[in-house]
Amino acid sequence: MTSYDPRSTPARPDLAASHLAGKVEAARFVDGHVREIAEPQAPLRRSPSPDARLDTEALKGERITIYDSDEEGWSWGQLAADGYVGYVPTSALREPGPPSTHRVAVVRTLVFPGPSIKAPPLEGLSLGCRLAIKRIEGLLAVTDSNGFVPACHLESVDTSEPDFVAVAEQFLGVPYLWGGKSSLGLDCSGLVQIALTASGVACPRDSDMQERALGAVVSLSELQRGDLVFWKDHVAIVRDPATFIHANAFHMAVAFEPVREAIARIAATGSDVTSVRRINNR
């Protein structure tokens, strides 16, 4: 049997996805069932406990294949978009609705219960949340669940942002949160993933995965807008040859930082740049 990365392989000693039979060891193999994230964002945790480490988040409208659910309210499965595996609250799931037609294109928007922006909002949605829109009423878009969202805050799921760095820049000042990928908090690789996904570039979740999968290696002396600079367990986006944008624990926020200062500061902690990668199809 081959070894596997538990972050991207739906396999445990007691249970694994049926398509992995003969590839991994498990007591039994099962077919999964597809569910949809119903909450604005749902935690995907390392183990089935509210105190467990947050590995990532799933945004409203994402699909997930569930392989197991327990009586404590946790479901174990794999996200469709990036293949990440973990435990989500079962209460955050619903049966799949109509296919998404639009996604949130601003850092945060609100969903209202009716065609009035004076009504108390039902929920707030982050950039990247996906919605099935039934119709447009004036300035508001009506979702399949009869929520009303400012139409100017949405764009078609077929639309790609031309500059993923500009998408990342919208998150300036958002708090740093390990495992987060919403406007309430996100980490370095979450920022990269959200921004690249908005630009139509498939992107893994964690920085080590991104370093292996994205772009081509270039020299640190040749930085240009959109390059990704990697350290162990960290990634920053180049705004221009002199400036990074990154979600980082030093500022505890998404921040702009001079390239030289950031590299020197991180090197002082014992971590040197491991690679610079250029996204060829941005």
Side-chain angles (χ1 to χ4, degrees):
M1 297 292 178
T2 58
S3 60
Y4 60 87
D5 188 336
R7 296 173 298 175
S8 56
T9 310
R12 309 182 316 211
D14 66 316
L15 181 71
S18 58
H19 68 269
L20 295 175
K23 301 177 182 178
V24 302
E25 294 183 355
R28 61 191 180 98
F29 295 85
V30 299
D31 294 327
H33 52 275
V34 176
R35 293 291 181 265
E36 183 177 305
I37 303 298
E39 298 296 321
Q41 64 269 339
L44 194 80
R45 299 195 182 276
R46 182 68 56 89
S47 58
S49 168
D51 298 326
R53 170 172 152 172
L54 178 66
D55 279 344
T56 187
E57 291 180 311
L59 300 180
K60 190 181 187 75
E62 285 195 63
R63 300 290 171 93
I64 182 172
T65 301
I66 298 298
Y67 295 100
D68 187 34
S69 297
D70 64 26
E71 297 180 354
E72 303 301 319
W74 292 94
S75 291
W76 180 71
Q78 183 174 36
L79 293 173
D82 62 13
Y84 219 96
V85 174
Y87 292 86
V88 296
T90 304
S91 60
L93 306 176
R94 73 169 191 172
E95 291 285 339
S100 300
T101 59
H102 291 73
R103 60 181 177 84
V104 176
V106 295
V107 171
R108 196 157 186 83
T109 192
L110 298 173
V111 181
F112 299 95
S116 171
I117 60 173
K118 296 180 180 179
L122 297 173
E123 59 187 7
L125 302 180
S126 293
L127 190 150
C129 287
R130 299 170 68 89
L131 300 168
I133 299 301
K134 298 191 297 184
R135 64 185 184 277
I136 304 294
E137 289 190 7
L139 299 178
L140 298 173
V142 185
T143 72
D144 67 301
S145 56
N146 294 315
F148 289 72
V149 185
C152 62
H153 290 175
L154 306 177
E155 61 186 13
S156 168
V157 293
D158 298 324
T159 301
S160 296
E161 294 291 342
D163 181 3
F164 83 89
V165 184
V167 177
E169 289 170 339
Q170 294 182 61
F171 286 86
L172 181 66
V174 169
Y176 178 84
L177 174 65
W178 181 279
K181 66 174 193 179
S182 82
S183 58
L184 297 179
L186 73 177
D187 61 15
C188 62
S189 55
L191 178 65
V192 170
Q193 187 185 52
I194 286 290
L196 281 176
T197 299
S199 295
V201 178
C203 180
R205 177 57 178 89
D206 292 342
S207 61
D208 64 315
M209 298 172 167
Q210 293 170 355
E211 187 172 15
R212 290 193 298 268
L214 297 174
V217 174
V218 296
S219 170
L220 186 61
S221 63
E222 302 173 352
L223 293 181
Q224 67 181 39
R225 185 176 176 86
D227 288 346
L228 301 177
V229 179
F230 290 92
W231 298 258
K232 178 177 168 52
D233 299 326
H234 190 60
V235 58
I237 303 168
V238 177
R239 296 181 66 232
D240 55 58
T243 316
F244 287 145
I245 179 171
H246 56 156
N248 65 92
F250 179 78
H251 297 94
M252 283 307 296
V254 177
F256 297 155
E257 188 172 9
V259 167
R260 289 187 178 181
E261 290 183 15
I263 290 175
R265 176 177 60 77
I266 297 171
T269 68
S271 184
D272 294 321
V273 171
T274 54
S275 73
V276 180
R277 305 194 72 88
R278 183 161 294 162
I279 310 300
N280 299 316
N281 57 341
R282 71 175 186 272

